[in-house]
Amino acid sequence: MTCAVYPGSFDPPTLGHINLVERAAPLFSHLYVAVAHNTAKKSLFTTVERVELFAEAVSHVQNVSVISAEGLIADTASELGAQVLIKGVRGMVDVENEVTQARLNKQIGKVETLLLPSEARYTCVSSSAVKEIASFGGDFSSLVPENVYRKMKQLEGK
């Protein structure tokens, strides 16, 4: 069976991300969640913290490893022996962006991309939205795993 990589910055990991792992993992012999640093975004958590938070949130899924990744994701996939990248899409804007990335990853890394549509209940959930809601003191508890919620609430006090 094939192994796959689910890349992203996951800052913070959301229930949408967790749901995608739960749905993708049974399709592959092994699924790597590759937590990357996105230079275009201001991070709430360090890469190490995001790896730990994500790993705890998906610890119930047997064939998943959460790792940190640097550089091109196509190179990471090659190093891991993965033939497929998994990307979640919430709507058409995501599809356009992910198809462009998929074509580039295929060209430079010979890796295929599988786009999985989010479940309807997660179409409005994004890490950016969670951070925005949290910054204004809103209730984001239904958008992130419990461990992530606790960690974010700890940050509020600082």
Side-chain angles (χ1 to χ4, degrees):
M1 211 157 133
T2 303
C3 73
V5 175
Y6 175 32
S9 53
F10 308 115
D11 186 45
T14 70
L15 290 176
H17 297 136
I18 304 311
N19 177 262
L20 196 103
V21 167
E22 292 169 341
R23 292 170 47 222
L27 304 175
F28 300 96
S29 57
H30 198 82
L31 177 63
Y32 294 93
V33 176
V35 178
H37 175 68
N38 185 337
T39 56
K41 296 180 181 179
K42 183 179 180 329
S43 295
L44 180 64
F45 296 113
T46 67
T47 303
V48 170
E49 288 173 317
R50 287 179 278 138
V51 167
E52 290 170 354
L53 288 167
F54 211 126
E56 182 181 343
V58 296
S59 62
H60 63 284
V61 185
Q62 298 301 312
N63 64 327
V64 174
S65 299
V66 183
I67 61 169
S68 63
E70 293 183 20
L72 296 174
I73 199 61
D75 292 342
T76 300
S78 178
E79 291 166 12
L80 295 169
Q83 299 82 16
V84 178
L85 297 177
I86 302 296
K87 298 297 293 219
V89 291
R90 293 172 299 220
M92 290 312 294
V93 172
D94 285 352
V95 171
E96 284 187 36
N97 293 331
E98 296 302 344
V99 166
T100 299
Q101 286 185 25
R103 289 178 178 143
L104 288 169
N105 284 319
K106 177 69 174 174
Q107 183 176 340
I108 65 171
K110 309 291 188 266
V111 61
E112 293 290 348
T113 300
L114 175 64
L115 303 181
L116 286 178
S118 67
E119 290 189 357
R121 61 187 164 164
Y122 299 119
T123 57
C124 296
V125 180
S126 69
S127 295
S128 297
V130 168
K131 288 188 279 195
E132 181 81 5
I133 293 165
S135 74
F136 287 102
D139 180 13
F140 58 96
S141 61
S142 65
L143 307 176
V144 296
E146 177 61 32
N147 67 316
V148 173
Y149 180 75
R150 284 192 313 270
K151 185 79 168 176
M152 289 180 71
K153 292 304 274 184
Q154 286 176 355
L155 292 179
E156 281 182 8
K158 293 182 180 180

Coordinates of all heavy atoms in Angstrom, one line a residue, residues 48-97:
V48 N 7.7 23.1 16.8 CA 7.7 22.0 17.8 C 6.4 21.9 18.6 O 5.8 20.8 18.8 CB 8.9 22.2 18.8 CG1 8.8 21.2 20.0 CG2 10.2 22.0 18.1
E49 N 5.9 23.0 19.0 CA 4.6 23.0 19.7 C 3.4 22.5 18.8 O 2.6 21.7 19.2 CB 4.2 24.4 20.2 CG 5.1 24.9 21.3 CD 4.8 26.4 21.7 OE1 4.7 27.2 20.7 OE2 4.7 26.7 22.9
R50 N 3.4 22.9 17.5 CA 2.4 22.5 16.6 C 2.5 21.0 16.4 O 1.5 20.3 16.3 CB 2.5 23.2 15.3 CG 2.0 24.7 15.5 CD 2.0 25.5 14.2 NE 3.4 26.0 14.1 CZ 4.0 26.0 12.9 NH1 3.5 25.6 11.8 NH2 5.3 26.5 12.9
V51 N 3.7 20.4 16.3 CA 3.9 19.0 16.1 C 3.3 18.3 17.3 O 2.6 17.3 17.2 CB 5.4 18.6 15.9 CG1 5.6 17.1 16.0 CG2 5.9 19.1 14.5
E52 N 3.7 18.8 18.5 CA 3.2 18.1 19.7 C 1.7 18.2 19.9 O 1.0 17.2 20.2 CB 3.8 18.8 21.0 CG 5.3 18.5 21.1 CD 6.0 19.3 22.2 OE1 5.4 20.3 22.7 OE2 7.2 19.1 22.4
L53 N 1.1 19.4 19.6 CA -0.4 19.5 19.7 C -1.1 18.6 18.7 O -2.1 17.9 19.0 CB -0.8 21.0 19.4 CG -0.4 22.0 20.5 CD1 -0.5 23.4 20.0 CD2 -1.3 21.7 21.7
F54 N -0.6 18.6 17.4 CA -1.2 17.7 16.4 C -1.1 16.3 16.8 O -2.0 15.5 16.7 CB -0.6 18.0 15.0 CG -1.6 17.8 13.9 CD1 -1.8 18.8 13.0 CD2 -2.3 16.6 13.7 CE1 -2.7 18.7 11.9 CE2 -3.2 16.5 12.6 CZ -3.4 17.5 11.8
A55 N 0.1 15.9 17.2 CA 0.3 14.4 17.5 C -0.6 14.0 18.7 O -1.2 12.9 18.6 CB 1.8 14.2 17.9
E56 N -0.8 14.8 19.7 CA -1.7 14.5 20.7 C -3.1 14.4 20.2 O -3.9 13.4 20.6 CB -1.6 15.5 21.9 CG -2.5 15.2 23.0 CD -2.5 16.2 24.1 OE1 -1.5 17.1 24.2 OE2 -3.4 16.2 25.0
A57 N -3.5 15.3 19.3 CA -4.9 15.3 18.8 C -5.2 14.1 17.9 O -6.4 13.7 17.8 CB -5.2 16.6 18.1
V58 N -4.2 13.5 17.3 CA -4.5 12.3 16.4 C -3.8 11.0 17.0 O -3.7 10.0 16.2 CB -3.9 12.6 15.0 CG1 -4.7 13.7 14.3 CG2 -2.4 12.8 14.9
S59 N -3.5 11.0 18.3 CA -2.9 9.8 18.9 C -3.8 8.6 18.8 O -3.3 7.5 18.8 CB -2.5 10.1 20.3 OG -3.7 10.4 21.1
H60 N -5.1 8.8 18.6 CA -6.0 7.7 18.4 C -6.0 7.0 17.0 O -6.6 6.0 16.8 CB -7.5 8.1 18.8 CG -8.0 9.2 17.8 ND1 -7.6 10.5 17.9 CD2 -8.9 9.1 16.8 CE1 -8.2 11.2 16.9 NE2 -9.0 10.3 16.2
V61 N -5.3 7.6 16.1 CA -5.2 7.1 14.7 C -3.9 6.3 14.6 O -2.8 6.9 14.7 CB -5.3 8.2 13.7 CG1 -5.4 7.6 12.3 CG2 -6.5 9.1 13.9
Q62 N -4.0 5.0 14.4 CA -2.8 4.2 14.5 C -1.7 4.4 13.5 O -0.5 4.3 13.8 CB -3.3 2.7 14.3 CG -4.2 2.3 15.4 CD -3.6 2.4 16.8 OE1 -2.5 2.0 17.0 NE2 -4.3 3.0 17.7
N63 N -2.0 4.7 12.2 CA -1.0 4.7 11.2 C -0.6 6.1 10.8 O -0.3 6.4 9.7 CB -1.4 4.0 9.9 CG -2.7 4.6 9.3 OD1 -3.5 5.2 10.0 ND2 -2.8 4.5 8.0
V64 N -0.5 7.0 11.8 CA -0.2 8.4 11.6 C 1.0 8.8 12.4 O 1.1 8.5 13.6 CB -1.4 9.3 11.9 CG1 -1.0 10.8 11.8 CG2 -2.6 9.0 11.0
S65 N 1.9 9.5 11.7 CA 3.1 10.1 12.4 C 3.1 11.6 12.1 O 2.8 12.0 11.0 CB 4.4 9.6 11.9 OG 4.5 8.2 12.1
V66 N 3.3 12.4 13.1 CA 3.4 13.9 12.9 C 4.8 14.3 13.0 O 5.5 14.0 14.0 CB 2.5 14.6 14.0 CG1 2.5 16.1 13.7 CG2 1.1 14.1 14.0
I67 N 5.3 15.0 12.0 CA 6.7 15.4 11.9 C 6.8 16.8 11.6 O 5.9 17.4 11.1 CB 7.4 14.5 10.8 CG1 6.8 14.7 9.5 CG2 7.4 13.0 11.2 CD1 7.6 14.2 8.3
S68 N 8.0 17.4 11.7 CA 8.2 18.7 11.2 C 8.9 18.6 9.9 O 9.5 17.6 9.6 CB 9.1 19.5 12.2 OG 10.4 18.9 12.3
A69 N 8.7 19.6 9.0 CA 9.2 19.6 7.7 C 9.8 20.9 7.3 O 9.2 22.0 7.7 CB 8.1 19.2 6.7
E70 N 10.9 20.9 6.6 CA 11.5 22.2 6.1 C 11.7 22.0 4.6 O 11.9 20.9 4.1 CB 12.8 22.4 6.8 CG 12.6 22.7 8.3 CD 14.0 23.1 9.0 OE1 14.9 23.4 8.3 OE2 14.0 23.0 10.2
G71 N 11.7 23.1 3.9 CA 12.0 23.0 2.5 C 10.8 22.6 1.7 O 9.7 22.8 2.1
L72 N 11.1 22.1 0.5 CA 10.0 21.8 -0.4 C 9.3 20.5 0.0 O 9.9 19.5 0.4 CB 10.5 21.5 -1.8 CG 11.2 22.8 -2.5 CD1 11.8 22.3 -3.9 CD2 10.1 23.8 -2.8
I73 N 8.0 20.5 0.0 CA 7.2 19.4 0.5 C 7.4 18.2 -0.5 O 7.3 17.0 0.0 CB 5.7 19.7 0.7 CG1 5.0 18.7 1.6 CG2 5.0 19.9 -0.6 CD1 5.6 18.6 2.9
A74 N 7.6 18.4 -1.7 CA 7.9 17.4 -2.7 C 9.2 16.6 -2.3 O 9.3 15.4 -2.4 CB 8.0 17.9 -4.1
D75 N 10.2 17.3 -1.8 CA 11.4 16.7 -1.3 C 11.1 15.9 0.0 O 11.7 14.8 0.1 CB 12.5 17.8 -1.0 CG 13.0 18.4 -2.3 OD1 12.8 17.9 -3.4 OD2 13.6 19.5 -2.2
T76 N 10.3 16.5 0.9 CA 10.0 15.7 2.1 C 9.3 14.4 1.7 O 9.6 13.4 2.3 CB 9.1 16.6 3.0 OG1 9.8 17.8 3.4 CG2 8.6 15.9 4.3
A77 N 8.3 14.5 0.8 CA 7.6 13.3 0.4 C 8.6 12.2 -0.2 O 8.5 11.1 0.2 CB 6.5 13.6 -0.6
S78 N 9.5 12.7 -1.0 CA 10.5 11.8 -1.6 C 11.3 11.1 -0.5 O 11.5 9.9 -0.5 CB 11.4 12.5 -2.5 OG 12.3 11.7 -3.1
E79 N 11.8 11.9 0.5 CA 12.6 11.4 1.6 C 11.8 10.3 2.4 O 12.4 9.4 2.9 CB 13.0 12.5 2.5 CG 14.1 13.5 1.9 CD 14.2 14.8 2.6 OE1 13.8 14.9 3.8 OE2 14.9 15.7 2.1
L80 N 10.5 10.5 2.5 CA 9.7 9.6 3.3 C 9.2 8.4 2.5 O 8.6 7.5 3.1 CB 8.5 10.4 3.9 CG 8.8 11.5 4.9 CD1 7.6 12.3 5.2 CD2 9.4 10.8 6.2
G81 N 9.5 8.4 1.2 CA 9.0 7.4 0.4 C 7.5 7.5 0.1 O 6.8 6.5 -0.3
A82 N 6.9 8.7 0.2 CA 5.5 8.9 0.0 C 5.2 9.2 -1.5 O 6.0 10.0 -2.1 CB 5.0 10.1 0.9
Q83 N 4.2 8.6 -2.0 CA 3.8 8.9 -3.4 C 2.7 9.9 -3.6 O 2.4 10.3 -4.7 CB 3.4 7.5 -4.0 CG 4.4 6.4 -4.0 CD 4.6 5.7 -2.7 OE1 3.7 5.7 -1.9 NE2 5.7 5.0 -2.5
V84 N 2.1 10.3 -2.5 CA 0.9 11.1 -2.5 C 0.9 12.2 -1.5 O 1.4 11.9 -0.3 CB -0.4 10.2 -2.3 CG1 -1.7 11.1 -2.3 CG2 -0.5 9.1 -3.3
L85 N 0.5 13.4 -1.9 CA 0.2 14.5 -0.9 C -1.3 14.6 -0.7 O -2.0 14.4 -1.7 CB 0.7 15.8 -1.5 CG 2.2 15.9 -1.7 CD1 2.6 17.3 -2.3 CD2 3.0 15.7 -0.4
I86 N -1.7 14.8 0.5 CA -3.1 15.0 0.8 C -3.3 16.5 1.1 O -2.6 17.1 1.9 CB -3.5 14.2 2.1 CG1 -3.2 12.7 1.9 CG2 -5.0 14.5 2.5 CD1 -4.1 12.1 0.8
K87 N -4.3 17.0 0.5 CA -4.7 18.4 0.7 C -6.2 18.6 0.9 O -6.9 18.0 0.2 CB -4.2 19.3 -0.4 CG -2.7 19.3 -0.7 CD -1.9 19.9 0.5 CE -2.1 21.3 0.7 NZ -1.1 22.2 1.0
G88 N -6.6 19.3 2.0 CA -8.0 19.5 2.2 C -8.4 20.8 1.5 O -7.6 21.7 1.4
V89 N -9.6 20.8 1.0 CA -10.2 21.9 0.3 C -11.6 22.2 0.9 O -12.4 21.4 1.0 CB -10.2 21.8 -1.2 CG1 -8.8 21.7 -1.8 CG2 -11.0 20.5 -1.6
R90 N -11.8 23.5 1.2 CA -13.0 23.9 1.8 C -14.0 24.5 0.7 O -15.2 24.6 0.9 CB -12.8 25.0 2.9 CG -12.1 24.4 4.1 CD -11.7 25.5 5.0 NE -10.8 26.4 4.3 CZ -9.7 27.0 4.8 NH1 -9.4 26.8 6.1 NH2 -8.9 27.7 4.1
G91 N -13.4 25.1 -0.4 CA -14.2 25.7 -1.4 C -13.4 25.9 -2.7 O -12.3 25.5 -2.8
M92 N -14.0 26.6 -3.6 CA -13.3 26.8 -4.9 C -12.0 27.6 -4.8 O -11.1 27.3 -5.6 CB -14.3 27.5 -5.9 CG -15.4 26.5 -6.3 SD -14.9 24.9 -6.8 CE -14.0 25.2 -8.3
V93 N -11.9 28.5 -4.0 CA -10.6 29.2 -3.8 C -9.5 28.3 -3.4 O -8.4 28.3 -4.0 CB -10.8 30.4 -2.8 CG1 -9.4 31.0 -2.5 CG2 -11.7 31.5 -3.4
D94 N -9.8 27.4 -2.5 CA -8.8 26.4 -2.0 C -8.5 25.5 -3.2 O -7.3 25.1 -3.4 CB -9.4 25.5 -0.9 CG -9.3 26.2 0.5 OD1 -8.8 27.3 0.6 OD2 -9.9 25.6 1.4
V95 N -9.5 25.1 -4.0 CA -9.3 24.2 -5.1 C -8.3 24.8 -6.1 O -7.3 24.2 -6.5 CB -10.6 23.8 -5.8 CG1 -10.3 23.0 -7.1 CG2 -11.5 22.9 -4.9
E96 N -8.5 26.1 -6.5 CA -7.7 26.8 -7.4 C -6.2 26.8 -6.9 O -5.3 26.5 -7.6 CB -8.2 28.2 -7.7 CG -9.4 28.3 -8.6 CD -9.7 29.7 -8.9 OE1 -8.8 30.5 -9.1 OE2 -10.9 30.0 -9.0
N97 N -6.0 27.2 -5.7 CA -4.7 27.2 -5.1 C -4.0 25.9 -5.0 O -2.9 25.7 -5.4 CB -4.7 27.9 -3.7 CG -5.1 29.3 -3.7 OD1 -4.9 30.0 -4.7 ND2 -5.8 29.8 -2.6

